[in-house]
Amino acid sequence: MGPAVVVVGGGTAGCAVAARLAEAGRAVTLIEAGPDYGPWEQGRWPDDLLDATTLATSHDWGYAGPAADGRTVAFDRARVIGGCSAHNGSTMSIGWSGDDGDLPSMWSTVELAGARQSAAERTRVNAPAESAIQPFQRAFLDACDAIGVRRTDDLLDPDGGAGASLSPVNVVDGIRWNTAIAYLDPVRDLPNLHIVDQCIVDRVEIHEGRVTGVLGTRDGLPVAFDADLVVLCAGAYGTPMILMRSGIGPAEHLRSLGITVVVDLPGVGGALQDQPVLRLEWAATPVLIDALEAFRDATGFLPEEQCVAKVRSPRASDAVPYDMHVFPWVEPDAAHGWRCVIPAGLLRPTSSGTIRLASRDPEDAPLIDHGYLREDDDVDRLVSMLPWLTDLAAQDPLADFLGEPLVAAPSGDRAEAAEWVRANHHHYWHPTGGAAIGPTDDALAVCDERARVRGVEGLAVADASLCPRAPRATTAFPVTVVGEHVASLILEDT
C-alpha cells in the first residue's frame, strides 16, 4: 500500500492531493480545521458555499494585517473542507508561460500540462454561454473592445496574451464546484481514506531528521496521527505557521518564542506576496438596475462577477504581455440598489513581506505583513492604470450604467495619485509564498524541486506557499494544478 500519508489541510490543493493518493492505494488521513459537510448529494452543504453568484464569507479564519498606509485590512481565508475553492468567485486562470520558473520554480508549463488538464476536468471548468453574460459584464466587454482590448478566450492558455474574456468557471448548474466536491466525493467510500474535520494541527513530529506524525487538537482534546509522509496543504498562511511551530524556520524567530530549532530554514514565512488592487466604484443607474433585474427574472441566475481583462499597464515591461487583471463586478448596496466596482489588480508585484508566529499557540492568529506597495514600481504601475480605468468607464454602453461616483480617481499629480493608491488599495485575495520552492544554491528556498522540505525526510508541501512569486493569475486553478502535480511526484517517489 505504500507509506501512510497525512495530508494537513483539506483546502483547494489538499483535497486534490488526498484524493489522488487515495485513488492510487495509499493510506491517507486528511485533516481539516473546519467542518466537512460530506458528499454534496446529501444536501448538508450551506447554501452560501454552493451559490456561485456571489462570494461566501461564512467560514473565514478572521486573519488581518497592515495595508500600505498602516490601516488594517482583512485577509479572507476559508476554514472549511474545500478551503477557498468553497468561498471564491470561481474565476479560473493560469498565468503566463514566460513566467516558467516562478509557478513554482523549476516546473515548466509543459511539465504541468497533464496536471492542468486533470484539474480542469475534475473541477468541471467550463466556459459560460454567451447568453449567460449579464448586462453589466457585457457592457464591460464592449467597453474594452472600444478602447482596443480585443475579445479573447485564453485565460487557461499559458501562452495567452492581453485581452478581455468571459471567464472560465468551476460552476455547475449554479453551484460552485469546489475541490471537496470535485475530488473527495468520488473517493469518500474508499477504505484507505480517512477524513478528520474540526481538527487544529499544531505541529509535525520529527525524530532524527524524519517525520513520524502530526499533533493537534480536536474538540479541545489532544490528538496524534502517525505518518511516514506528511504533506502540508494549509496554504500560504497555514503551512509556514505549522513549519515554524514544528521547529522549521528562521532560527532567531523560533528561539524568541521558545521553540526548539529542528532545521534553520530562514526562508520559511518569507517571500509572502498578495496582489494589490485599486478600485473605482459607482452607484448603479436605474437603467442598470432594471437590466439586472430583468436578466435575473429571465434566467434565474445573476452572477456578480463574470469577466476578466488581461491588460498591460502603461508602466509594464515591454517583455510581458500583461501585468494587470481588470475584473469588474456588481454587488447589492443598501443605499443605491447596486454598486459597480471596476478594479485593477497588479498580478506580479515586486514587493513582498513575511508571516511570523505571534505565539506558540496554534489558535493564535499570525503576524501577516504582505509588504504591500513597498516598491515604487508597484505604485507606479497601479497609478498608471487610473487614466485607463477612467477612459474605460466613459465608453458606451458601460457609461450608461455608471451613476454617482462612490470612489473616484484623484485629479492631482503623480505624487497625489501615489498617496491615494497607498491609502485606498485593496487586495486580490491571492496570498502566495512562505515555503518557496527553489534550487539548492538558494539559501531562502524551503522546498526542493519535488516539493520536499529541506532537511526533513518525509515532509512535503503542496499549496500556494510553494510559489516564490505570485503567479500572473487568480490562484485557485494554479493551486489545484500544484496539488495534482505534487501528488504525482509523491507517487513516483514512493
Side-chain angles (χ1 to χ4, degrees):
M1 181 175 284
V5 183
V6 171
V7 177
V8 178
T12 305
C15 290
V17 173
R20 290 308 190 196
L21 296 182
E23 286 171 342
R26 301 295 194 269
V28 178
T29 299
L30 174 61
I31 304 174
E32 166 54 38
D36 174 19
Y37 291 108
W40 165 67
E41 293 89 347
Q42 291 183 357
R44 294 193 288 118
W45 279 80
D47 289 343
D48 70 311
L49 297 183
L50 299 178
D51 180 6
T53 64
T54 189
L55 297 177
T57 59
S58 58
H59 290 67
D60 187 48
W61 276 91
Y63 294 148
D69 64 338
R71 65 196 149 88
T72 299
V73 292
F75 299 142
D76 312 66
R77 294 289 90 189
R79 183 170 173 166
V80 64
I81 199 75
C84 290
S85 72
H87 259 200
N88 64 16
S90 301
T91 298
M92 300 289 109
S93 62
I94 193 59
W96 180 52
S97 61
D99 294 330
D100 275 359
D102 284 331
L103 180 62
S105 175
M106 297 180 287
W107 294 347
S108 71
T109 54
V110 173
E111 187 177 1
L112 295 174
R116 288 199 308 273
Q117 180 177 351
S118 181
E121 291 174 354
R122 197 70 174 246
T123 57
R124 299 177 67 175
V125 172
N126 63 92
E130 288 289 319
S131 61
I133 307 177
Q134 55 104 314
F136 178 72
Q137 299 292 332
R138 185 172 294 282
F140 169 77
L141 292 175
D142 291 342
C144 285
D145 184 64
I147 61 173
V149 180
R150 64 187 178 90
R151 178 74 184 271
T152 62
D153 59 355
D154 59 4
L155 281 170
L156 291 179
D157 181 356
D159 296 319
S165 299
L166 178 61
S167 176
V169 292
N170 58 317
V171 176
V172 180
D173 295 330
I175 293 170
R176 184 186 290 106
W177 207 253
N178 65 61
T179 61
I181 298 173
Y183 283 92
L184 294 184
D185 281 9
V187 300
R188 283 180 180 272
D189 291 336
L190 291 178
N192 54 309
L193 175 64
H194 181 44
I195 301 172
V196 181
D197 70 347
Q198 306 280 17
C199 182
I200 298 293
V201 168
D202 178 9
R203 64 188 187 274
V204 176
E205 280 198 299
I206 301 165
H207 181 67
E208 295 183 351
R210 82 161 294 114
V211 161
T212 59
V214 171
L215 299 178
T217 57
R218 190 168 191 262
D219 297 328
L221 300 174
V223 291
F225 304 89
D226 294 334
D228 304 304
L229 172 66
V230 173
V231 188
L232 298 180
C233 303
Y237 301 150
T239 287
M241 291 166 64
I242 293 169
L243 287 171
M244 288 186 281
R245 289 197 299 266
S246 305
I248 304 166
E252 184 176 350
H253 174 59
L254 301 184
R255 292 189 183 108
S256 73
L257 295 173
I259 297 173
T260 300
V261 178
V262 176
V263 183
D264 180 10
L265 284 182
V268 173
L272 187 71
Q273 291 193 308
D274 190 12
Q275 298 157 333
V277 170
L278 63 84
R279 288 170 25 180
L280 302 184
E281 304 180 19
W282 295 262
T285 63
V287 173
L288 176 58
I289 293 173
D290 290 345
L292 293 176
E293 296 301 325
F295 184 88
R296 179 159 50 193
D297 289 344
T299 65
F301 183 68
L302 180 61
E304 297 173 358
E305 178 183 355
Q306 285 184 301
C307 298
V308 176
K310 297 180 290 182
V311 176
R312 195 165 73 86
S313 72
R315 295 297 297 269
S317 165
D318 291 339
V320 302
Y322 59 93
D323 63 332
M324 298 280 172
H325 271 181
V326 180
F327 50 107
W329 73 83
V330 292
E331 61 185 45
D333 184 280
H336 306 97
W338 288 92
R339 176 180 293 247
C340 306
V341 182
I342 304 182
L346 177 60
L347 299 175
R348 298 274 290 178
T350 53
S351 304
S352 65
T354 60
I355 180 169
R356 294 289 183 254
L357 298 176
S359 77
R360 297 177 63 175
D361 187 344
E363 295 281 5
D364 281 354
L367 306 175
I368 303 170
D369 183 359
H370 289 281
Y372 291 118
L373 306 181
R374 284 180 179 159
E375 301 295 334
D376 287 342
D377 177 65
D378 293 350
V379 179
D380 288 341
R381 284 189 282 163
L382 285 172
V383 166
S384 75
M385 286 297 292
L386 288 169
W388 191 96
L389 293 175
T390 301
D391 187 21
L392 178 82
Q395 305 302 314
D396 293 328
L398 185 59
D400 294 335
F401 288 164
L402 304 178
E404 174 191 353
L406 303 178
V407 178
S411 57
D413 59 13
R414 187 270 174 200
E416 181 181 334
E419 182 178 355
W420 182 89
V421 166
R422 292 182 185 278
N424 291 277
H425 79 87
H426 297 263
H427 60 90
Y428 206 175
W429 307 284
H430 298 150
T432 59
I437 200 169
T440 55
D441 59 355
D442 182 351
L444 296 179
V446 175
C447 297
D448 67 13
E449 72 281 0
R450 302 188 75 78
R452 300 171 298 201
V453 175
R454 299 188 188 281
V456 182
E457 291 186 48
L459 183 59
V461 172
D463 57 31
S465 67
L466 283 174
C467 299
R469 287 197 65 187
R472 206 176 298 267
T474 53
T475 51
F477 188 71
V479 167
T480 308
V481 172
V482 166
E484 286 267 6
H485 187 61
V486 173
S488 69
L489 294 177
I490 289 170
L491 293 172
E492 290 174 8
D493 292 343
T494 59

